[in-house]
Amino acid sequence: MCGIVGYIGSQSATPVILEGLKKLEYRGYDSAGIATLSDCQAAIRRSQGKLVNLENILREQPLSGCIGIGHTRWATHGRPSEINAHPHKAGPVIVVHNGIIENYLPLKEQLKKAGHTFKSETDTEVISHLVEEKLKDEPDFEKGVRLALSELRGAYAVCILNENQPGILIAAKLGSPMVVGLGDKEFFVASDIPAILAHTREMVFMEDGELVVFHHQQAHFSTIAGVHLEKKPRHIDWSPLMAEKGGYRHFMLKEIYEQPRAVRDTIAGRLLEGEGDVYLEDLQFSDRQLAAVKRIVIIACGTSWHAALVGKFYLEGHCRIPVEVDIASEFRYRNPVVDENTLTIVISQSGETADTLAALREAKSRGALNMAICNVVDSSIARESAGVIYTHAGPEIGVASTKAFVTQLTALYLFTIRLGRANCTIDVATGQRMISALKKVPGLLEEALKLNEYVETVAKKYMSARDFLYLGRGKNFPIALEGALKLKEISYIHAEGYPAGEMKHGPIALIDEDVPVVVLVPKNSSYEKTVSNMEEVIARSGRVIAVCSEGDEEIAGRVETVIEIPVLDEDLDPLLLSVPLQLLAYHIAVHKGTDVDQPRNLAKSVTVE
């Protein structure tokens, strides 16, 4: 997830773009860059690190010109560095890009054979070279861009300039956000509204497969295939703070709604469906190394620990390897048993969690093969791990983790497929089935998000409760723990999660008519057992909120409240179950008036022990 800004008009482009990038720095802060055109000459300034570094360079080496593009980067392909920073230039073509080009490797090889030399590790540089190559046979800039875009697979929002045609700015979108601002004989392009809200409130929201050409003080909209479009602007009447939150009341709600996109980005370019396998670009373990793994230890804290517990079910169930899940703060204080036949997986959203980093170093010191699942590229944990799976959730500002959690689950499922294919416990057909199910998740998450208004009414009904219980079985038990944690974190209500079958071994004593009990009961292999446990709660006057599969009339007739989720392969139920639990916690917290994004006593990244 990166941020792009483009400008064409009569103002100096640099301050407009720089101001826009500051508003988009939440989308990425690994590096930044700006390119402008003046007198048929392009000038580019780039820097690694936060935007302030680019500002310092621009003070010493200013840019001129009334047309330009800018970028703030969240690294995906290629580590944070000046050479990997956007814009990228090939011949006269300059590009900034947000997204992932899935077929960049074959395109790169093809272009190398045609004589192109690449300078960066990024997928984006392929776009600039591909457009340059097309312009050799088709000198019309717009047509050349259309030809190049037609060969790209994946997701992109791009802004493209051409030194040889300095009065034109072209932008296009497929799967990544883009908004166009209409000014007085000037135009703005950005990844999000806040970047351009200071200049105009008349916005055109680009749809997938659309392209816009800015030329002669006009904006021409069309499909990438060339079909003319009439686009009507929408007037945006947001406050600056509301704009930063994308119109949502809180960052947490915005991030809950970003989960379909986050999962798409996590799986993008990684699914080898024909082979029933996945490609994990930063996990450079051979099949032989993976097949030699005899035991797995997953280490994490908080929400990431709950993801690890789900990962245990995935890995043991499909790969037939024993998995132990450890709390990072406890791991190195108990003389842990790990060796060269042990794979240690550490999970951290920030990549800077002190306890998890210490646990990783302990495991390494004992000779264990190690890897990380992490959201922040080139973070401490990512740098110190032998391999890493980046989740590509994008920056998460709300303290209570949401999109980072579901992408961690997604990454664990991807790794399960990779390990199972390496040690031959997953055959091609099974791998294909698992990938097919995973591809459905983003769309079904979007369906689950339609529950938002209904869940808000549920929240009003139960907001005065002093205690909550959450019950689940199998891989849904960790989701019960996560649901309880979310409620505790942001509403300050006491809540506990339990395996449903353990109720009769003690916690059932807590149940009375004042205790709401959230039961996770989708139609799966443990459905009947979970229903029996639910009946035990009902018999003791517990107020049951059942989160069940869509169309389950049997459950609807038995409980006080029903929340239905879409039907999916039971392996992936945890991702869908997470959404209503996040929404329930969020709306209860809002109704209670707590600080949702910055709950008391908590920090986003725990960097001390």
Side-chain angles (χ1 to χ4, degrees):
M1 187 168 90
C2 306
I4 64 173
V5 180
Y7 174 76
I8 181 169
S10 58
Q11 300 185 58
S12 174
T14 300
V16 174
I17 295 168
L18 194 59
E19 178 188 7
L21 292 179
K22 288 178 182 178
K23 299 294 186 182
L24 295 181
E25 200 167 12
Y26 76 91
R27 296 183 64 87
Y29 36 76
D30 297 324
S31 60
I34 292 178
T36 59
L37 288 179
S38 180
D39 298 325
C40 297
Q41 288 257 309
I44 298 175
R45 304 287 184 266
R46 306 186 301 189
S47 70
Q48 182 180 344
K50 294 192 176 183
L51 200 58
V52 64
N53 297 338
L54 178 63
E55 288 186 273
N56 293 334
I57 290 172
L58 287 167
R59 287 192 193 97
E60 297 179 5
Q61 304 172 51
L63 293 173
S64 60
C66 298
I67 178 172
I69 54 179
H71 188 272
T72 183
R73 183 169 186 248
W74 180 263
T76 54
H77 294 78
R79 298 194 177 278
S81 68
E82 189 276 332
I83 201 68
N84 287 330
H86 300 212
H88 289 288
K89 186 173 186 289
V93 179
I94 309 104
V95 173
V96 293
H97 164 231
N98 170 35
I100 295 175
I101 304 304
E102 296 179 11
N103 62 333
Y104 86 100
L105 286 174
L107 287 173
K108 189 172 185 178
E109 290 306 309
Q110 171 188 320
L111 289 162
K112 282 182 177 179
K113 290 176 182 176
H116 291 258
T117 301
F118 288 80
K119 298 176 182 177
S120 77
E121 305 168 290
T122 68
D123 55 337
T124 300
E125 192 181 358
V126 165
I127 303 173
S128 56
H129 285 275
L130 188 59
V131 174
E132 181 195 19
E133 183 67 20
K134 298 302 179 185
L135 292 176
K136 291 178 182 177
D137 298 321
E138 175 48 78
D140 182 278
F141 182 28
E142 181 181 340
K143 290 181 180 178
V145 169
R146 292 184 192 278
L147 289 170
L149 294 179
S150 70
E151 295 189 18
L152 301 181
R153 302 289 177 267
Y156 57 77
V158 292
C159 289
I160 308 175
L161 299 176
N162 184 347
E163 277 182 318
N164 297 334
Q165 297 187 49
I168 301 176
L169 169 61
I170 297 178
K173 162 186 161 48
L174 182 68
S176 293
M178 175 176 283
V179 61
V180 171
L182 309 180
D184 182 13
K185 297 181 180 179
E186 62 181 356
F187 301 97
F188 310 82
V189 183
S191 296
D192 203 353
I193 291 170
I196 55 179
L197 195 62
H199 299 280
T200 179
R201 292 180 179 264
E202 301 304 311
M203 310 283 185
V204 173
F205 293 89
M206 299 284 283
E207 302 293 335
D208 283 351
E210 293 184 353
L211 177 145
V212 58
V213 179
F214 304 101
H215 187 41
H216 294 313
Q217 299 179 343
Q218 292 182 322
H220 299 279
F221 295 91
S222 64
T223 66
I224 289 171
V227 179
H228 176 72
L229 297 171
E230 292 291 339
K231 302 283 287 186
K232 291 184 178 180
R234 175 181 159 197
H235 182 77
I236 303 299
D237 191 18
W238 288 353
S239 69
L241 182 60
M242 186 65 75
E244 286 181 24
K245 296 173 181 175
Y248 293 97
R249 185 173 178 181
H250 297 96
F251 282 110
M252 181 180 176
L253 186 61
K254 177 175 184 281
E255 288 154 7
I256 289 171
Y257 270 84
E258 287 177 340
Q259 289 176 125
R261 188 277 309 158
V263 172
R264 282 191 183 99
D265 284 356
T266 300
I267 65 178
R270 290 172 165 172
L271 305 181
L272 307 174
E273 194 162 10
E275 301 170 34
D277 204 345
V278 299
Y279 169 67
L280 300 172
E281 63 278 10
D282 293 299
L283 195 67
Q284 302 298 322
F285 299 147
S286 67
D287 282 6
R288 184 175 180 179
Q289 282 178 292
L290 292 175
V293 172
K294 303 303 180 189
R295 177 171 168 263
I296 297 173
V297 177
I298 312 179
I299 305 168
C301 300
T303 286
S304 297
W305 183 68
H306 297 156
L309 290 171
V310 178
K312 173 182 172 72
F313 283 93
Y314 288 159
L315 290 161
E316 288 189 340
H318 289 287
C319 302
R320 311 309 301 153
I321 295 175
V323 178
E324 180 181 338
V325 178
D326 242 307
I327 294 173
S329 58
E330 296 292 324
F331 178 75
R332 65 195 178 104
Y333 296 108
R334 59 173 182 79
N335 194 18
V337 181
V338 295
D339 57 25
E340 64 276 4
N341 294 319
T342 303
L343 171 63
T344 302
I345 304 173
V346 295
I347 307 177
S348 168
Q349 186 280 138
S350 67
E352 303 294 343
T353 310
D355 288 316
T356 309
L357 181 58
L360 169 65
R361 290 169 177 166
E362 180 72 17
K364 287 173 66 176
S365 73
R366 294 170 182 260
L369 184 67
N370 62 88
M371 58 173 277
I373 293 174
C374 184
N375 191 34
V376 179
V377 174
D378 220 26
S379 57
S380 297
I381 285 174
R383 289 197 309 271
E384 295 194 26
S385 298
V388 61
I389 302 174
Y390 289 115
T391 54
H392 302 321
E396 191 175 62
I397 296 170
V399 167
S401 181
T402 53
K403 63 179 181 176
F405 177 66
V406 298
T407 55
Q408 287 169 353
L409 297 178
T410 304
L412 285 160
Y413 199 66
L414 288 170
F415 180 67
T416 298
I417 298 171
R418 177 78 282 276
L419 180 59
R421 295 292 287 121
N423 72 4
C424 300
T425 56
I426 295 176
D427 59 21
V428 173
T430 302
Q432 289 173 331
R433 179 188 61 76
M434 294 172 73
I435 288 170
S436 177
L438 185 57
K439 287 171 66 176
K440 296 175 184 176
V441 169
L444 293 178
L445 285 171
E446 289 171 349
E447 288 298 311
L449 286 165
K450 293 177 182 178
L451 292 165
N452 182 44
E453 289 186 12
Y454 172 66
V455 174
E456 184 175 7
T457 66
V458 175
K460 288 180 182 177
K461 185 176 180 179
Y462 296 98
M463 61 174 285
S464 298
R466 296 183 60 184
D467 304 277
F468 269 73
L469 295 179
Y470 288 71
L471 306 180
R473 272 186 177 265
K475 61 181 69 68
N476 296 330
F477 157 56
I479 306 306
L481 291 174
E482 175 62 11
L485 177 62
K486 285 289 150 288
L487 192 66
K488 282 185 278 196
E489 284 180 314
I490 63 172
S491 74
Y492 317 144
I493 293 173
H494 173 250
E496 300 295 339
Y498 291 102
E502 283 294 295
M503 283 302 296
K504 62 178 71 69
H505 296 284
I508 201 166
L510 298 172
I511 294 173
D512 61 27
E513 63 275 5
D514 296 322
V515 178
V517 182
V518 180
V519 183
L520 308 182
V521 59
K523 279 282 181 72
N524 59 24
S525 56
S526 60
Y527 175 76
E528 292 180 357
K529 294 288 187 184
T530 310
V531 169
S532 296
N533 301 137
M534 184 182 73
E535 292 288 1
E536 294 167 357
V537 175
I538 294 169
R540 286 154 182 83
S541 302
R543 304 176 67 190
V544 173
I545 305 168
V547 186
C548 63
S549 298
E550 209 166 46
D552 190 339
E553 295 179 4
E554 182 182 357
I555 293 294
R558 295 182 174 184
V559 302
E560 185 173 292
T561 301
V562 168
I563 301 173
E564 296 185 352
I565 62 166
V567 176
L568 181 61
D569 185 294
E570 70 173 88
D571 260 354
L572 297 167
D573 278 342
L575 283 82
L576 298 185
L577 289 167
S578 297
V579 171
L581 302 191
Q582 293 165 353
L583 291 171
L584 181 64
Y586 169 78
H587 286 298
I588 288 176
V590 169
H591 289 310
K592 290 179 73 69
T594 64
D595 190 339
V596 171
D597 286 332
Q598 295 180 323
R600 68 189 184 200
N601 303 333
L602 296 177
K604 184 62 185 172
S605 179
V606 183
T607 57
V608 294
E609 289 191 65

